[in-house]
Amino acid sequence: LAIASLSRAPLVGNLLEFRRDRLALFARLRAECGDLGAFHLGPRRLVVVSSPELAHEVLVAQADAFEKGPTLRRFARPLLGDGLLSVDNARHRRNRRLVAPAFTPRTIAHHVALMADEAERSAARLLAAGAAGRVVDLADECTQLTLAIIGRSLFSFDLSQDAAAARAALETVQRHIDGILRGFVPLPAWLPTRANRTLARALGQLDALIGRLVAERRRGGPKDAPDDLLSALVFSRDADGEFLDDRQIRDEAMTLFVAGHETTAFALAWTFHLLLDHPDVGGELDRELETVLGGRAPGWDDLPKLPYTLQVLSEAMRLYPPGHTPGRVAARDVILGGERLPKGTLVLVSIWLLHRRADLWPEPERFMPARFVDERALPRHAYLPFSAGPRNCIGARLALAEMQIALAVLRQRTRLSRASAAPVEPEMLVTLRPRGGLPVRVSRYGV
Ligand code: HEM
């Protein structure tokens, strides 16, 4: 086979390097193998693409030749079941149509007030920590914020108040998935290890909780139901009048919960990280916020009036795409870049490499929000923070609105400074996160 493979050790292949430093492995792969290369985890070959054309082939043009990869299909299955993120192509189209009503602009607009509300709470938490002289992990704070937002927009649930148990259960599940990806070779879920027992208990709690909520919604009927994503799922019908059954609602709700909070949290955290090093960008951002908002939180109608705020977020997601490596498995033999990939081949699309190519992005390492002044002038198929094709991110618009609001509010209330001189490095787990968090000190804006 003609696809170049990265040099590797016998038996383990590139496993040790993969565990130690995935970023370095991907960089070496691109340098040694180009647009289409491969590395090995033990006997398993993983093909990596990092050109706009090949990414487009895998995600869009030949999307029906690829299913989701084993991380989602196998390891995340106890949690996500057949939700949108992990369901096979055959069932995906119908389910996507049924979930889509949860993401219309009208539904998103409805959530703007609670997003602003939670962002204000987050600012208050940060300021309280600042006043007490405490160092805050901003990545953690952003996670609290997005968790609170998804909790309310999905379930009309106040996670900070009445759902401490749900939150703890979700964190258990999240840690378990991280653990799986860190180790990469997971222990079978049926082994009665302590970790597996804890996971089973957490999943049981979440299932019971969602089951209860769904039952309440059905009993109350659509008129009395809160206008949230769960109602959209419970009352959604497709053209044939079919709706999602309880199991499907549970899987979709869990999927939205998992897909919807950590990605957004880390995109925000990276944005603040970049702003800490770029006072010029911060200054321009402040001017836009001052002119348009003058200190208030943005409403839905304000969002189009905050183009620079959006450019800052877009550029942050270019440099640090939270969904850094969508994975697929060839469902049949496929021709990709002139090479034949046998059925079963694992293919990774490296958004990380794509977003940092010097031939597409002049001075790729530099943080320059002005790149996004005119989105139509971007290199084709080269900017994919939300992936592309039929399996692209259904939550993109919601995420962008949420981040615009959070950035606008936090920026107008707080000033952050670094609490540690240690360099902040990205770690590739489920999402691209700052390794060891993002320690900051907080003071009040304008003081
Ligand atoms: C900055 C924030 C976000 C980023 C960077 C992001 C990124 C992504 C990416 C890259 C994918 C595609 C994965 C693949 O091709 O394998 C995806 C899919 C998905 N995302 Fe997001 N996402 C974000 C926020 C959200 C939010 C807020 C929600 C929901 C509330 C959400 C729900 C989903 C779902 C359900 C899918 C699967 C869609 C399908 O296959 O039909 N995401 N996301």
Side-chain angles (χ1 to χ4, degrees), residues 59 68 72 84-86 92 96 99 103 150 229 252 255-257 259-261 263-265 267 317 321-328 351 384-388 390-396 398-400 402-403:
L59 299 172
K68 286 299 185 96
L72 281 170
L84 280 187
L85 206 51
S86 42
H92 176 261
R96 176 107 178 185
V99 179
F103 293 94
I150 194 74
L229 301 180
E252 298 300 355
T255 295
L256 295 181
F257 208 107
H261 87 273
T263 39
T264 319
M317 285 194 293
H324 50 86
T325 319
R328 299 288 188 269
I351 309 292
L384 303 175
F386 296 111
S387 192
R391 307 304 292 258
N392 75 347
C393 180
I394 200 172
L398 183 113
L400 289 172
E402 176 176 349
M403 292 193 295

Side-chain angles (χ1 to χ4, degrees), residues 100 136 167 195 199 202 251 261 277 280 293 314 389 415 435 437 445:
V136 181
R167 188 177 161 169
L199 175 73
D251 289 352
H261 87 273
D277 292 338
D280 51 327
L293 303 172
S314 302
R415 269 305 163 265
R435 190 190 300 274
Y445 178 51

